[in-house]
Amino acid sequence: MAAYSLSAPAVCGKVEALSEALAAVVGSKKDDRGEKAQALADVVKAYGGSGIAAFASSTKLMEGMMTVLEGSDKKKSSEREGVVAAVSAILKTCGAPVEPFLVKFMPALLVLLADKSGKALQTAAEEALTALVGELSSQAKKMYALPACVDKLGSDQKFQTQAGALALLLKIANEAPEEIGSCMPELVPAVSALLCDAKAVVAENAQKAIEAACASIDNTDIQPLVPSLISALKNPTEVEDCIFKLAATTFVQEIEANALAITVPLLKRGFQTRKTPVVRMCARIIENMAKLVERPRDVKPFMPTLMPALERATEEVSDPEARTVCGKAVDQLNRANDGIGMAPEPPVAELETTLKAYATVATAAEDDVVATIVEFVGKQGMALIDARASEQTEWNSIVVPYYKVLVDAATAEAIAKGYLEKCSKMMVAEEEEEEDTDAEQLCDCKFSLAYGSKVLLNNTRLSLKRGFRYGLVGPNECGKTTLMRAIANGQVDGFPPADELRTVFVEADILGELSHLSVVDYIFADERIRNCAVPREDIEKTLASVGFTDIMLKGSVSHLSGGWRMKLALGRAMLQRADILLLDEPTNHLDVVNVQWVENYLNGLANVTSIIVSHDKGLLERVCTHIIQIDSLKLKTYKGNLSEFVKREPKAKSYFELKSTALEFKFPQPGNLEGITSKGKPIMKMDGVEFTYPGVHRPQVRNVTIRVCLSSRVACIGPNGAGKSTIIKLLTGEIEPQVGGVWKHPNCRVAYVAQHAFHHIENHLEKTPNQYIQWRYEHGDDKEALVKDTMIATEEELKVMKKPFEYRWKSEDGLKEYKEKVVIRSLTGHRRVQRGTKADYEYEVKFENKPGTFTVWLPLDKLDGMGWGKELKKVDEKVASRSAAFQTPLTSSNVEKHLENIGLDKEYGTHCRIGQLSGGQKVKVVLAAAMWNHPHIVILDEPTNYLDRESLGALAKAIEGFDGGVVLISHNSEFTSAVCPETWVMTPATDTEPGKLDCKGDAEWMKEAMKEKVEIKKIEEVVDAFGNTVKVKEAKKKALSRAEKKKLERKRAAQKKNGEYVPGMNGSDDEDF
């Protein structure tokens, strides 16, 4: 039951007095019109609430005044002036209580601005309107004045009415900017249509009105573009340029209806151009802006305009890529319209619902006066509800001035308080209840986050409590690592600063300038450790607690394996006494034992909060107390571990499944290898290899013998520090063995991705991935492959290489023989001469102090014996790389396509710098760069680090379809068992014994693989540097003429006499031809 009641005061005898006073005003002359109008107003005021009730309740008075105002007879213009004067006087004298009734005259007064009777009536109407709009509250301006003005902007209205309405809109925009901002969807189309009006006063007022309305846009991304947007609406020739300006904008802030209102008319015109680049750009803008919409109500008004244009473009645009962009925009716009991924929001306020809430506070009598006042207050209440206004003073301002006619002031204030209490429930949406816990709140902030030109998080909330362990999950490239780095770097708005909350980002990094230091000295030199004033003794004690021995503490930090580097990073974090640990893939490089150690360590941190990014579902299952999901640019926190989270969000299971859905990797297939007809024939091998790291008293590995062929699918497994990466480095030539031999087929190309993959790109962070690959292969060689220890000669080796030797040769006619002490200057190429012998290859040699045209061919064994072994390998590497270069020319478009084949979108591959990429994206860059030259063997050291499950599934599928050999190191048994039937098991070294290697595998599979023949594929087409596809035609053999045959016979005879004839090489018809 309502506590209050509203009823109109008695009006007995007052209506007649008011009627007489009004009649006097209507029939008055110009000289005494003002006096009689004021007399009417005084009568209304003198009667108080009864006078206002009498004035409002009298059909004769209200309808009579409306009838006069709506008349158009020039002879009765004085009557209209009298009513206008009466309206102005009553408003001025009685104030707010009469506003609910006088606003009904606004449409008629706007029409009078164009009355033909003369300037006097137009001026009087303008003054009355200005006064009325000025007296209205901001909420009444929105609910009554603004719709009345917009309604009079149509083409059916006279220009004076349009100009006057625009002037009033300008006044409203200046006096009630927040309210006009929410009305922009209705306002902008009506006003923009008049920007080019033939009447200068209309166009000028429209310009001022739209500029004032756009001042309500608080989106800093849109604000700088507002002048250009308005100018483009006024000048159609500027539409395309403005669209491209808009497309170049990085949108980060929330997009609201007012920002959309000024951009949608421009986008509509862009779609109407029917130009594919413009239409595509419009679709991209819509997609980007729709991602930042927080409330469906902001986008709903524009759906009838945007959706048909987008759907038509999706079907009609000729460019397939542009159609795809349009399709994505359609999907994103539908998501925004449906509120997918958005926080719940309260429904838009409706008059009926609002009046029902009012009725529970105060019962309104069935009376036209009461109904009009309550409806007037109700519509203003709707504006406050939609604006989430919860201040009592705001509600008092829309209730008390009007209810004074019905109740006393104290009661009116009490009713206003009740209205706020009831309506406040309509301002909030039902949200998930906060977790009831006594844990200390570490942070509770709302922020947005962008990555390059891509928005990752928009106006989202992050809440962290002490002692909880949060797993951060989300789809590929959603911004997990970027968020962690932003927190660590203090780039998240509202996150407590470092002097209040100590946050440590744990990453297994070894700084190059400190890599020569011992483990203890490396930690002691860390600036973060120095800032914490940690003594050396504590460093040694902490590192010992995580498993470092005395020998390891004194050893070089650069010799640590990936697993020990991660433990070193965790030890460093422990020393900083963090409040929050940010861990990005903490189990990377770790074996089962060390993964268990990490889990126990994290679970034992009672007062430290952890945020963990990991693709190890076991870790998230056993460690996490909460899961934070990134979805639709929002963070959403779920209580429980991974399995509890997946129960509530089943689609998230795809984050951790080893399978590829939409993502697909395509490895370039290797070319043919000369002399290799069977996939089981070794093309890389090591025999009896032994290697000892400098400063270590025993070998790391000893007596290692392995073979790699085109059919190899090998997983090298073993605990941390066993020497897995060491034998891979020996095999690839990164380091040289002290004992034993390593051999690789001279034309074999090898793609090697090291354990610490980022070292490949750490000096190129300012390049884009596309630029990096072009730099790496710009001369046809792989620059990374030419800087290995096995290809860089030492000072001693250079001295041996420069020793003179005696070389004999004959003149061209074979009659004279020469000999001379010569010094080799360089090797330029190689050729195969005798199949099936150790001297398979000869190398072209240039001598010092001889012309460049003087070159000779020397056998491999002779050059190797003269100390040129490393240069021989370098020549082999160059020749092998260049033989693949013509298959795919090194153009920007080809590299872009290649990066997409390895899972890196062109947005990141061509337009983002490497330094801006996430860990997973950087791994894809390194992998793509290594695969560019069509390798025969792919060697991956810990490829599963930083790659999500979808990427791992794509990688496994690409390996399955690859025609070359694959060797990989990984602690991910699920991945290795899926792709590798053969294993190399490393036994770790002890203090006295080196590590040992045991080769195992599926005998039946290996037997079949050894038998598989190499399918020699002829290249039928290539793509040139201009992007043209060129068909490769097989050369036709030309029959020799008699003269040519005799000439060839004489040449061969001379070659045989000089001992230069080699069957199958320089004696073939093909070569001579």
Side-chain angles (χ1 to χ4, degrees), residues 45 299 316 368 385 459 464 489 614 646 672 745 906 934 936 979 1012 1018 1056:
K45 185 174 182 181
V299 78
E316 296 178 0
D368 289 343
I385 292 169
N459 200 27
L464 302 175
N489 297 334
S614 178
V646 172
N672 299 319
H745 188 288
K906 61 184 176 184
H934 296 255
H936 299 95
V979 297
E1012 189 175 355
K1018 293 183 179 180
K1056 289 178 181 179

Short mmCIF file of all heavy atoms in Angstrom, two decimals, residues 45 299 316 368 385 459 464 489 614 646 672 745 906 934 936 979 1012 1018 1056:
data_model
loop_
_atom_site.label_atom_id
_atom_site.label_comp_id
_atom_site.label_asym_id
_atom_site.label_seq_id
_atom_site.Cartn_x
_atom_site.Cartn_y
_atom_site.Cartn_z
N LYS A 45 -1.34 32.71 -10.38
CA LYS A 45 -0.44 32.62 -9.24
C LYS A 45 -1.17 32.90 -7.94
O LYS A 45 -0.91 32.27 -6.90
CB LYS A 45 0.72 33.59 -9.41
CG LYS A 45 1.76 33.46 -8.31
CD LYS A 45 2.96 34.33 -8.58
CE LYS A 45 4.01 34.13 -7.49
NZ LYS A 45 5.19 34.99 -7.71
N VAL A 299 23.86 0.01 -30.04
CA VAL A 299 23.97 -0.36 -31.45
C VAL A 299 22.62 -0.63 -32.11
O VAL A 299 22.49 -0.54 -33.33
CB VAL A 299 24.91 -1.59 -31.61
CG1 VAL A 299 24.21 -2.88 -31.24
CG2 VAL A 299 25.49 -1.68 -33.01
N GLU A 316 27.36 -9.12 -52.86
CA GLU A 316 27.57 -8.48 -54.16
C GLU A 316 29.01 -8.07 -54.45
O GLU A 316 29.37 -7.93 -55.63
CB GLU A 316 26.68 -7.23 -54.25
CG GLU A 316 25.19 -7.55 -54.21
CD GLU A 316 24.33 -6.30 -54.26
OE1 GLU A 316 24.90 -5.19 -54.32
OE2 GLU A 316 23.09 -6.43 -54.25
N ASP A 368 -7.18 14.43 -14.55
CA ASP A 368 -6.31 14.81 -15.67
C ASP A 368 -5.13 15.65 -15.23
O ASP A 368 -4.02 15.51 -15.75
CB ASP A 368 -7.13 15.57 -16.71
CG ASP A 368 -8.12 14.67 -17.45
OD1 ASP A 368 -7.93 13.44 -17.38
OD2 ASP A 368 -9.05 15.20 -18.07
N ILE A 385 16.72 7.27 -14.81
CA ILE A 385 16.98 5.82 -14.71
C ILE A 385 17.97 5.39 -15.77
O ILE A 385 18.94 4.66 -15.50
CB ILE A 385 15.66 5.04 -14.84
CG1 ILE A 385 14.77 5.28 -13.62
CG2 ILE A 385 15.94 3.54 -15.00
CD1 ILE A 385 13.36 4.77 -13.78
N ASN A 459 37.21 -1.98 -21.49
CA ASN A 459 36.41 -1.60 -20.32
C ASN A 459 36.06 -2.82 -19.48
O ASN A 459 34.90 -3.04 -19.13
CB ASN A 459 35.13 -0.89 -20.79
CG ASN A 459 34.51 -0.06 -19.69
OD1 ASN A 459 35.21 0.41 -18.78
ND2 ASN A 459 33.22 0.12 -19.74
N LEU A 464 41.63 -9.18 -8.00
CA LEU A 464 42.56 -10.18 -7.49
C LEU A 464 42.58 -10.14 -5.96
O LEU A 464 42.53 -9.06 -5.36
CB LEU A 464 43.98 -9.93 -8.02
CG LEU A 464 44.17 -9.91 -9.54
CD1 LEU A 464 45.60 -9.52 -9.88
CD2 LEU A 464 43.83 -11.27 -10.15
N ASN A 489 54.52 -3.97 -16.30
CA ASN A 489 55.09 -2.67 -16.69
C ASN A 489 54.29 -1.48 -16.18
O ASN A 489 54.59 -0.34 -16.53
CB ASN A 489 55.21 -2.59 -18.22
CG ASN A 489 56.17 -3.63 -18.78
OD1 ASN A 489 57.09 -4.07 -18.09
ND2 ASN A 489 55.96 -4.02 -20.01
N SER A 614 49.34 -20.92 -19.13
CA SER A 614 49.97 -22.20 -19.43
C SER A 614 49.08 -23.02 -20.34
O SER A 614 47.85 -22.97 -20.22
CB SER A 614 50.25 -22.99 -18.14
OG SER A 614 50.83 -24.25 -18.45
N VAL A 646 35.62 -25.77 -17.12
CA VAL A 646 35.16 -26.37 -18.37
C VAL A 646 33.71 -26.85 -18.24
O VAL A 646 32.94 -26.83 -19.21
CB VAL A 646 36.09 -27.52 -18.80
CG1 VAL A 646 35.51 -28.29 -19.98
CG2 VAL A 646 37.47 -26.96 -19.17
N ASN A 672 64.31 -32.16 -54.41
CA ASN A 672 65.05 -33.42 -54.57
C ASN A 672 66.49 -33.26 -54.13
O ASN A 672 67.08 -32.18 -54.28
CB ASN A 672 65.01 -33.86 -56.04
CG ASN A 672 63.59 -34.10 -56.50
OD1 ASN A 672 62.78 -34.65 -55.78
ND2 ASN A 672 63.30 -33.67 -57.73
N HIS A 745 74.66 -34.20 -45.95
CA HIS A 745 74.66 -34.19 -47.42
C HIS A 745 74.90 -32.75 -47.88
O HIS A 745 74.25 -31.81 -47.39
CB HIS A 745 73.30 -34.69 -47.92
CG HIS A 745 73.26 -34.90 -49.41
ND1 HIS A 745 73.25 -33.85 -50.31
CD2 HIS A 745 73.20 -36.03 -50.15
CE1 HIS A 745 73.19 -34.32 -51.53
NE2 HIS A 745 73.15 -35.66 -51.47
N LYS A 906 48.37 -11.97 -41.64
CA LYS A 906 49.14 -10.88 -42.27
C LYS A 906 49.11 -9.60 -41.45
O LYS A 906 50.00 -8.77 -41.57
CB LYS A 906 48.62 -10.62 -43.68
CG LYS A 906 47.17 -10.19 -43.77
CD LYS A 906 46.76 -10.04 -45.23
CE LYS A 906 45.29 -9.70 -45.38
NZ LYS A 906 44.87 -9.66 -46.78
N HIS A 934 62.62 -24.26 -47.99
CA HIS A 934 62.20 -25.62 -48.33
C HIS A 934 63.17 -26.67 -47.76
O HIS A 934 63.81 -27.40 -48.51
CB HIS A 934 62.09 -25.79 -49.85
CG HIS A 934 61.05 -24.94 -50.48
ND1 HIS A 934 59.84 -25.41 -50.93
CD2 HIS A 934 61.00 -23.59 -50.72
CE1 HIS A 934 59.11 -24.42 -51.43
NE2 HIS A 934 59.79 -23.30 -51.31
N HIS A 936 65.00 -29.99 -46.06
CA HIS A 936 64.83 -31.44 -46.13
C HIS A 936 64.65 -32.03 -44.73
O HIS A 936 64.00 -33.06 -44.57
CB HIS A 936 66.04 -32.09 -46.81
CG HIS A 936 66.25 -31.62 -48.21
ND1 HIS A 936 67.10 -30.58 -48.54
CD2 HIS A 936 65.70 -32.05 -49.39
CE1 HIS A 936 67.08 -30.39 -49.85
NE2 HIS A 936 66.25 -31.25 -50.39
N VAL A 979 53.28 -37.73 -33.07
CA VAL A 979 53.98 -37.48 -34.34
C VAL A 979 55.26 -38.30 -34.51
O VAL A 979 55.76 -38.40 -35.63
CB VAL A 979 54.32 -35.98 -34.50
CG1 VAL A 979 53.05 -35.15 -34.55
CG2 VAL A 979 55.23 -35.49 -33.39
N GLU A 1012 60.79 -46.82 -48.23
CA GLU A 1012 60.03 -45.85 -49.01
C GLU A 1012 60.94 -45.10 -49.98
O GLU A 1012 62.02 -44.63 -49.61
CB GLU A 1012 59.32 -44.85 -48.07
CG GLU A 1012 58.35 -43.95 -48.80
CD GLU A 1012 57.59 -43.06 -47.83
OE1 GLU A 1012 57.77 -43.22 -46.59
OE2 GLU A 1012 56.83 -42.21 -48.31
N LYS A 1018 58.88 -33.06 -60.67
CA LYS A 1018 59.35 -31.99 -61.53
C LYS A 1018 58.58 -30.72 -61.24
O LYS A 1018 57.37 -30.74 -61.04
CB LYS A 1018 59.16 -32.38 -63.01
CG LYS A 1018 60.05 -33.53 -63.45
CD LYS A 1018 59.87 -33.80 -64.92
CE LYS A 1018 60.79 -34.94 -65.36
NZ LYS A 1018 60.64 -35.23 -66.82
N LYS A 1056 90.13 -35.39 -73.12
CA LYS A 1056 90.67 -36.69 -72.70
C LYS A 1056 92.20 -36.66 -72.67
O LYS A 1056 92.82 -37.23 -71.78
CB LYS A 1056 90.19 -37.77 -73.67
CG LYS A 1056 88.69 -38.08 -73.51
CD LYS A 1056 88.24 -39.13 -74.53
CE LYS A 1056 86.75 -39.42 -74.39
NZ LYS A 1056 86.29 -40.43 -75.38
#
